[in-house]
Amino acid sequence: MFAARPMAKVNLTLEVGPLGDDGYHTLTSIFLRIGLADLIALKLTAGGAADRVVVSGLPGAPIEENIVLRALAALRERAGLPLPPVEIELEKRVPVAAGLGGGSSDAAAALKLAQACWGVGVAASDEMTLAARLGSDVPFFVADAEVALVEGRGEAVRPLRSVGGNAGLLLATAPTTLSTRAVFARHDALSEQGSRPEASLSEDLAIALESGLIGQELCGWAGRLRDANDLWPAAAELAPLLPALRDELEKRTGRPWLLSGSGPTLFALYPSAPDAAEAGRVLVDRRPASLDGALIHAVDLIGPDPIWRHP
Ligand code: C5P
């Protein structure tokens, strides 16, 4: 049995460039790995002819079309060998299709675990190519960086110096579904191509991280980062409960709340995970109706489990 705890991410920035001929946009994004993880275990199957995945935990993850099965198929094709079928047990603890990269992280873990199980190894560059084909967020997780500047359509990952002294995040995943593809399409409809200013907050933050940013200092960036996700207007339009939820969260916590990926997870930065957990407790104690159905997690950057969650 080969097992791992694939961790999630948030995007501290997400600058969306032009749409390419391949149907993908050029991105510039700071990815931050967070201490919230699924459980994945992989073993050779005793019988059966095909790979199989058994999914438990939070709802919403596909079974037949699960990205971990696509990862196995891609690896088998790349290896060019008749590798035996495997069974994967996947316990979803990261909210599914939430902008947290849970499925992408599972796929990256599956690539690594299957190589160990089958006793094959693909070159690091081939692994990144496979990862990029599986999904735009997968290369970040294959690179195994705590924080990185991610460019291209996701395949160019530049690891950055880790945030010093840990940090806390309070995550609120709104009870709504948002398709990444639909959010990008809406973004295109809303924006005039080429209207985005050249100055890049991602690059400013990358420089600050490289000079040794600590968690508390990162909180000081939150006001600027709040509007550094270019997908916000599109996500807010497709899921009208998001702007109302963000207003409420900001009013109640006195902090800026950021959108991760294409949503619908919002998050705030805290100097420590206990601070984030305390803020979460205060928030749910007052039972605001706008939080009905939301999943709330207080996490640090280490995990693999959250410090606190609700419900
Ligand atoms: O790569 P992934 O499967 O995560 O992408 C989902 C969808 O998001 C794509 O089909 C595309 O519409 C959009 N996307 C994009 N540009 C990117 C990444 C994703 O337009 N760089």
Side-chain angles (χ1 to χ4, degrees):
M1 175 83 84
F2 297 82
R5 298 297 310 271
M7 283 162 70
K9 59 84 182 165
V10 292
N11 302 86
L12 294 174
T13 62
L14 181 47
E15 299 173 46
V16 180
L19 175 65
D21 294 338
D22 59 358
Y24 283 81
H25 298 77
T26 315
L27 306 177
T28 307
S29 178
I30 303 278
F31 278 56
L32 177 68
R33 196 168 72 185
I34 58 168
L36 174 63
D38 290 336
L39 277 103
I40 182 169
L42 180 150
K43 62 176 188 214
L44 292 175
T45 47
D51 298 326
R52 210 165 81 90
V53 62
V54 179
V55 184
S56 61
L58 290 174
I63 298 177
E64 266 110 66
E65 293 292 304
N66 196 288
I67 191 169
V68 299
L69 293 177
R70 290 203 285 119
L72 296 174
L75 185 58
R76 203 180 260 114
E77 192 188 320
R78 179 71 194 81
L81 296 167
L83 298 163
V86 296
E87 178 174 314
I88 287 187
E89 277 175 44
L90 184 58
E91 186 179 327
K92 295 301 299 178
R93 294 190 176 186
V94 177
V96 176
L100 296 172
S104 301
S105 191
D106 297 340
L111 283 178
K112 308 247 181 215
L113 295 177
Q115 286 179 74
C117 176
W118 285 330
V120 297
V122 296
S125 59
D126 286 347
E127 212 181 23
M128 284 301 256
T129 307
L130 285 181
R133 258 188 246 141
L134 289 168
S136 306
D137 291 345
V138 185
F140 168 73
F141 292 109
V142 165
D144 204 19
E146 290 173 24
V147 55
L149 177 67
V150 176
E151 293 176 292
R153 52 161 279 200
E155 78 288 352
V157 181
R158 177 153 72 88
L160 300 167
R161 193 160 153 188
S162 306
V163 175
N166 213 345
L169 291 92
L170 189 60
L171 316 173
T173 305
T176 184
T177 50
L178 271 174
S179 135
T180 301
R181 183 190 292 266
V183 174
F184 272 99
R186 192 74 208 128
H187 165 82
D188 290 339
L190 289 175
S191 57
E192 283 170 44
Q193 293 288 329
S195 65
R196 141 160 282 287
E198 280 304 303
S200 167
L201 189 56
S202 303
E203 268 143 41
D204 290 353
L205 180 56
I207 291 167
L209 284 160
E210 284 293 79
S211 71
L213 203 67
I214 62 167
Q216 197 146 11
E217 292 165 341
L218 183 61
C219 295
W221 280 73
R224 289 172 75 195
L225 299 177
R226 177 185 186 274
D227 298 314
N229 184 331
D230 288 347
L231 295 178
W232 169 259
E237 210 181 276
L238 292 175
L241 66 80
L242 273 181
L245 178 60
R246 178 155 92 167
D247 286 351
E248 176 94 19
L249 290 166
E250 292 188 330
K251 201 173 78 199
R252 288 182 184 269
T253 62
R255 281 179 184 260
W257 281 71
L258 290 64
L259 178 74
S260 186
S262 57
T265 299
L266 298 167
F267 67 98
L269 296 164
Y270 286 84
S272 74
D275 288 334
E278 183 50 29
R281 280 188 205 99
V282 170
L283 198 62
V284 302
D285 269 359
R286 299 191 187 144
R287 299 187 190 286
S290 56
L291 281 185
D292 282 352
L295 295 174
I296 307 179
H297 293 87
V299 304
D300 62 11
L301 301 182
I302 298 163
D305 291 310
I307 306 296
W308 173 87
R309 71 163 175 253
H310 174 87

